[in-house]
């Protein structure tokens, strides 16, 4: 029997980068500038998002290296706490945890197609075509999927670097200050700062992507921590520079009015109408990398649940290429059903669930160090206990403000968890496979 193909460090890092660099960074600034009209405060937001992502990454790296199995939150919560929490984490990931971000990225892709073509019908058909094509690709040979992912991720990073270099080197720019000024402290103390962190943390979501495919990594105890750190550090640098580029290119009032089209508007300002059109095409195609990476990671959670729970065993089935094709197709169908929703609505709905799930995993570092101190830990979280504690405190702070400012989306998240809990109790007598 041929030795199964294993995912290398460059590919694992590309998956992390591709998961992170998606809809969020291209749309978030348009929703932040109106409430936080300060270059320093906005850049601080993105630096803080990178710091918190790094704190989460060191925690996931310890748990993932200690418990090297694909499945992400499903597997880690199950091991750290109880099968019920693992089931709920897997339920969120399998149903909306990846499908909603994929849908948000696809809706953004659709918006770019509409803006560039002027034909609304083209945008929707292009969105469906992208979802169908990427779903088909991920049902095929893993080597081809790996090459596709790396190529599109490199292309996306290159276009962002071009945009940054052109924007920061432009002779003409808007008057913006990146050092603290009078009034910035009051802006940081506003609830809008915490609410804006919802968008920032959504943009950084994906820093834990390699944890979902641990079982496919080459030397996972080494590859997982390195992929998380390299990916998170590189994306933090990109995000800070890209938002500084947008702030230099456009007045704050124009940024706030552009909403989710801020990247396209800034590209036209930097490169002119024709150059902006071309850059808009590149940004749209860059979103394909994000859609692909989450199509890769999400179904692995569903597959792992199918290996453990009899009612979900169908999702563990693989095709002749070893791909969990039913889980992949199921996520594609869910994504297609979400394409009629707005990007900001999708973000507010899913981000509370993602924050809660990742906070529980990070807290699991404390739990397992207490209850399983003798376990072999190939990697120990850097800065423990301060790094995981900082992540937990900041995440809870963001959650409180999100619930207050967007109670309806938070309620929908709670309903999602209740449905998962109901299914657990309904099927619990028949859940274990063995």
């Amino acid at each position: 029997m041929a030795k199964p193909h294993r995912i290398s460090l460059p590919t694992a890092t590309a998956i992390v980068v591709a998961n992170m660099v998606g809809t969020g960074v291209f749309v978030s600034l348009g929703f932040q500038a109106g409430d936080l009209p300060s270059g320093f405060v906005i850049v601080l937001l993105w630096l803080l998002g990178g710091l918190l992502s790094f704190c989460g990454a060191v925690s996931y790296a310890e748990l993932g290296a200690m418990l090297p199995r694909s499945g992400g939150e499903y597997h880690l919560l199950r091991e750290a706490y109880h099968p019920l929490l693992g089931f709920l984490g897997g339920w969120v990931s399998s149903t909306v945890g990846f499908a909603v971000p994929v849908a948000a990225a696809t809706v953004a892709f659709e918006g770019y197609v509409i803006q560039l073509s002027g034909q609304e019908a083209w945008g929707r058909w292009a969105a469906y075509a992208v979802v169908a094509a990427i779903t088909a690709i991920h049902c095929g040979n893993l080597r081809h999927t790996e090459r596709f992912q790396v190529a599109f991720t490199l292309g996306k990073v290159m276009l962002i670097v071009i945009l940054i270099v052109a924007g920061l080197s432009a002779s003409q720019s808007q008057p913006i200050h990146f050092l603290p000024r009078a009034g910035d402290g009051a802006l940081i103390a506003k609830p809008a700062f915490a609410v804006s962190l919802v968008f920032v943390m959504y943009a950084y979501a994906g820093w834990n992507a390699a944890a979902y495919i641990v079982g496919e990594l080459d030397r996972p105890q080494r590859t997982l921590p390195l992929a998380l750190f390299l990916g998170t550090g590189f994306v933090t640098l990109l995000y800070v520079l890209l938002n500084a580029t947008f702030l230099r290119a456009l007045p704050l009032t124009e940024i706030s009015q552009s909403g989710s089209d801020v990247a396209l508007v800034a590209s036209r300002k930097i490169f002119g109408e024709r150059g902006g059109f071309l850059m808009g095409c590149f940004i749209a195609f860059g979103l394909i990398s994000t859609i692909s990476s989450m199509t890769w990671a999400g179904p692995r959670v569903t597959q792992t649940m199918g290996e453990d729970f009899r009612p979900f065993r169908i999702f563990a089935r693989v095709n002749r290429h070893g791909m969990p094709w039913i889980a992949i197709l199921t996520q594609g169908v869910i994504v297609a059903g979400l394409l009629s929703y707005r990007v900001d609505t999708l973000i507010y709905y899913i981000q509370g669930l993602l924050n809660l799930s990742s906070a529980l995993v990070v807290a699991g570092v404390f739990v397992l160090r207490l209850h399983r101190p003798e376990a072999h830990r190939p990697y120990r979280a850097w800065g423990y206990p301060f790094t995981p504690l900082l992540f937990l405190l900041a995440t809870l702070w963001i959650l409180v403000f999100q619930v207050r400012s967007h109670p309806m989306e938070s309620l929908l998240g709670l309903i999602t968890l209740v449905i998962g809990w109901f299914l657990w109790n309904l099927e619990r007598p028949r859940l274990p496979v063995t």
Side-chain angles (χ1 to χ4, degrees), residues 10 23 54 96 191 203 210 221 231 234 236 257 273 277 314 335-336 346 417:
T23 319
F54 175 79
V96 295
Q221 283 88 352
F234 179 70
T236 300
Q257 292 170 359
E273 193 64 32
F277 176 85
I314 188 175
V335 169
L346 292 171
L417 290 176

Side-chain angles (χ1 to χ4, degrees), residues 105-429:
T106 309
V107 169
F109 174 85
E110 176 186 347
Y112 277 105
V113 172
I114 293 172
Q115 285 275 351
L116 296 169
S117 68
Q119 300 292 326
E120 188 167 348
W122 289 14
R124 180 50 52 92
W125 282 112
Y128 283 124
V130 163
V131 172
I134 292 178
T135 299
I137 289 171
H138 280 269
C139 289
N141 187 284
L142 183 60
R143 290 182 186 273
H144 297 159
T145 304
E146 181 179 10
R147 291 168 185 159
F148 176 86
Q149 186 64 59
V150 171
F152 270 81
T153 301
L154 286 176
K156 175 165 61 177
V157 170
M158 287 176 62
L159 77 89
I160 292 176
V161 170
I162 292 171
L163 183 57
I164 290 171
V165 172
L168 295 183
S169 61
S171 57
Q172 293 184 339
S173 65
Q174 300 301 317
I176 191 73
H177 298 276
F178 296 111
L179 295 177
R181 307 184 74 190
D184 285 347
L187 291 177
I188 294 172
K190 288 176 61 176
F193 185 86
V195 174
S196 293
L197 265 177
V198 174
F199 278 93
V200 170
M201 294 310 295
Y202 174 79
Y204 276 100
W207 50 263
N208 55 355
Y212 294 93
I213 58 168
V214 174
E216 299 176 64
L217 297 180
D218 180 35
R219 294 188 293 170
Q221 283 88 352
R222 173 183 177 274
T223 299
L224 176 63
L226 283 175
L228 294 179
F229 302 155
L230 291 173
T232 302
F234 179 70
V235 170
T236 300
L237 178 63
L238 276 185
Y239 279 3
V240 171
L241 292 177
L242 184 60
N243 280 278
T245 301
F246 292 157
L247 289 168
R248 290 185 83 249
L250 299 170
L252 287 170
T253 52
E254 190 172 347
I255 290 174
S256 61
Q257 292 170 359
S258 63
S260 61
D261 296 326
V262 62
L264 182 59
V265 175
S267 296
R268 286 172 173 162
K269 190 78 171 182
I270 295 170
F271 297 104
E273 193 64 32
R274 289 186 177 180
F277 176 85
L278 185 61
M279 185 58 65
C281 293
F282 286 152
I283 293 173
F285 279 101
L287 290 171
I288 293 175
S289 169
T290 303
I291 298 168
S292 173
S293 63
M294 288 186 282
T295 302
W296 191 333
R300 269 54 179 184
V301 181
T302 314
Q303 178 188 13
T304 305
M305 291 183 69
E307 294 169 355
D308 292 344
F309 297 136
R310 181 172 289 110
F312 303 96
R313 183 178 282 177
I314 188 175
F315 297 111
R317 292 182 182 177
V318 297
N319 59 18
R320 63 188 180 88
H321 301 293
M323 299 295 101
W325 65 281
I326 296 180
I328 294 171
L329 289 177
T330 300
Q331 179 169 297
V333 171
I334 295 174
V335 169
L338 292 171
L339 294 184
S340 59
Y341 292 90
R342 286 165 46 98
V343 171
D344 55 338
T345 301
L346 292 171
I347 291 174
Y348 280 122
Y349 163 51
I350 192 58
Q351 192 56 31
L353 290 172
L354 296 180
N355 282 340
L356 178 61
S357 185
S358 59
L360 287 172
V361 171
V362 171
V365 174
F366 295 101
V367 173
L368 290 179
R369 287 214 184 186
L370 178 64
H371 293 291
R372 295 168 63 176
E374 77 292 343
H376 176 56
R377 290 173 170 81
Y379 170 83
R380 288 179 174 267
W382 182 87
Y384 177 90
F386 302 107
T387 46
L389 187 60
L390 176 61
F391 181 89
L392 290 173
L393 292 175
T395 301
L396 291 176
W397 180 59
I398 295 169
L399 278 171
V400 168
F401 280 100
Q402 181 179 352
V403 171
R404 287 180 178 177
S405 61
H406 291 83
M408 183 56 65
E409 290 86 347
S410 301
L411 178 61
L412 291 174
L414 179 61
I415 291 173
T416 302
L417 290 176
V418 170
I419 293 173
W421 175 82
F422 176 76
L423 289 175
W424 166 269
N425 283 281
L426 184 67
E427 299 290 350
R428 184 169 50 180

